[in-house]
């Protein structure tokens, strides 16, 4: 079912976005003088929830962090999402010398899995670990030295990133990209806005 058609062109745009893209890109974009007249209703959270709501027509479009071209929707690739295995420098200085994840097996690990994943699969035997589904919890654990984790670096401010040691090898999920997604039957005026926003975003990152 498509989003409500009552005064469709007058109501705010309904936009979903993965949380870190909201903080670092989408809010600054809509704060630009040329975009301040655009009325929006924004959801920030997990990519899975955004994808589901765009697919069902509850959101006009959305931004998700995805490992492959999204299915069941049209999509525009915006940029690569930088990932790394990180930990607090003062607590895990050896992280920078690791050659692979096997070298880090003895360290406590922090997971932020997708909502539909069973959290129990992230609890290995005889290993201290944390599984959270809150961005705030995840950042708190990483920045306070509770463990290491594979992170989307845009979760963290530049100052916070300077507190972190990075493993020198590619993250296990390296290859995640930010996609703008929308339904094939999106109204023409929505598609026009999507094309403008996508062009602005791609110009910023390319």
């Amino acid at each position: 079912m498509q989003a409500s058609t009552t005064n469709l062109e007058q109501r705010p745009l309904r936009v979903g976005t993965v949380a870190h893209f909201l903080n670092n890109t989408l809010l600054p974009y809509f704060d630009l003088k040329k975009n301040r007249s655009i009325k929006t209703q924004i959801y920030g959270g997990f990519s899975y929830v955004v994808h589901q709501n765009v697919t069902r027509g509850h959101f006009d479009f959305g931004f998700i962090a995805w490992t492959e071209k999204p299915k069941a929707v049209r999509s525009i690739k915006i940029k690569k999402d930088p990932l790394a295995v990180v930990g607090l420098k003062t607590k895990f200085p050896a992280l920078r010398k690791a050659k692979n994840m096997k070298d880090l097996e003895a360290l406590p690990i922090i997971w932020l899995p997708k909502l539909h994943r069973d959290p129990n699969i992230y609890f290995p035997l005889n290993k201290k670990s944390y599984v959270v589904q809150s961005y705030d919890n995840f950042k708190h654990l990483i920045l306070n030295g509770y463990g290491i984790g594979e992170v989307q670096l845009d979760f963290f401010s530049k100052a916070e990133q300077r507190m972190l040691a990075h493993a020198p090898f590619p993250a296990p999920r390296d290859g995640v990209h930010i996609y703008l997604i929308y339904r094939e039957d999106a109204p023409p005026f929505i598609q026009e806005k999507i094309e403008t926003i996508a062009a602005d975003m791609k110009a910023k990152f390319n």
Side-chain angles (χ1 to χ4, degrees):
M1 180 179 176
Q2 186 59 276
S4 172
T5 57
T6 304
N7 297 319
L8 193 58
E9 296 195 35
Q10 284 72 46
R11 67 158 174 77
L13 286 174
R14 293 176 185 161
V15 184
T17 178
V18 63
H20 63 282
F21 194 75
L22 170 64
N23 295 341
N24 295 319
T25 302
L26 207 57
L27 290 178
Y29 176 78
F30 285 122
D31 281 343
L32 292 174
K33 187 175 181 180
K34 69 172 185 173
N35 297 328
R36 289 176 190 165
S37 63
I38 302 173
K39 294 186 294 184
T40 56
Q41 295 174 332
I42 299 177
Y43 162 86
F46 284 88
S47 292
Y48 176 78
V49 176
V50 175
H51 183 272
Q52 291 291 98
N53 277 278
V54 171
T55 302
R56 294 168 182 166
H58 301 314
F59 297 163
D60 294 314
F61 58 95
F63 296 89
I64 61 175
W66 225 243
T67 53
E68 58 187 18
K69 184 176 175 63
K71 298 176 181 178
V73 289
R74 286 190 173 180
S75 63
I76 302 169
K77 187 186 291 185
I78 300 298
K79 75 180 191 83
K80 186 173 182 180
D81 205 19
L83 271 73
V85 177
V86 305
L88 193 66
K89 280 181 182 177
T90 54
K91 189 74 176 287
F92 304 108
L95 188 62
R96 288 175 287 192
K97 299 179 181 179
K99 295 179 180 178
N100 49 49
M101 288 299 292
K102 189 171 181 62
D103 289 346
L104 304 175
E105 283 182 343
L107 301 180
I109 193 162
I110 305 162
W111 298 99
L112 180 68
K114 295 178 181 179
L115 286 173
H116 60 290
R117 295 279 174 84
D118 179 358
N120 294 290
I121 67 175
Y122 296 92
F123 288 126
L125 292 174
N126 303 317
K127 181 179 175 69
K128 189 171 185 178
S129 53
Y130 303 85
V131 179
V132 296
Q133 291 192 318
S134 159
Y135 294 102
D136 286 341
N137 290 154
F138 186 71
K139 282 185 68 172
H140 177 84
L141 290 167
I142 290 287
L143 291 173
N144 286 277
Y146 283 90
I148 64 168
E150 182 187 24
V151 305
Q152 288 155 306
L153 292 173
D154 286 347
F155 281 152
F156 301 92
S157 68
K158 296 300 183 185
E160 289 169 338
Q161 288 189 38
R162 288 193 290 271
M163 299 168 61
L164 302 176
H166 293 215
F169 53 84
R173 293 187 304 125
D174 188 49
V176 173
H177 287 79
I178 297 291
Y179 290 88
L180 191 165
I181 62 170
Y182 59 101
R183 281 170 56 117
E184 186 173 0
D185 62 352
F189 82 95
I190 293 290
Q191 294 199 34
E192 288 176 11
K193 291 184 183 298
I194 287 169
E195 289 171 5
T196 299
I197 292 170
D200 288 346
M201 296 286 181
K202 292 179 82 168
K204 172 181 172 66
F205 294 113
N206 297 318

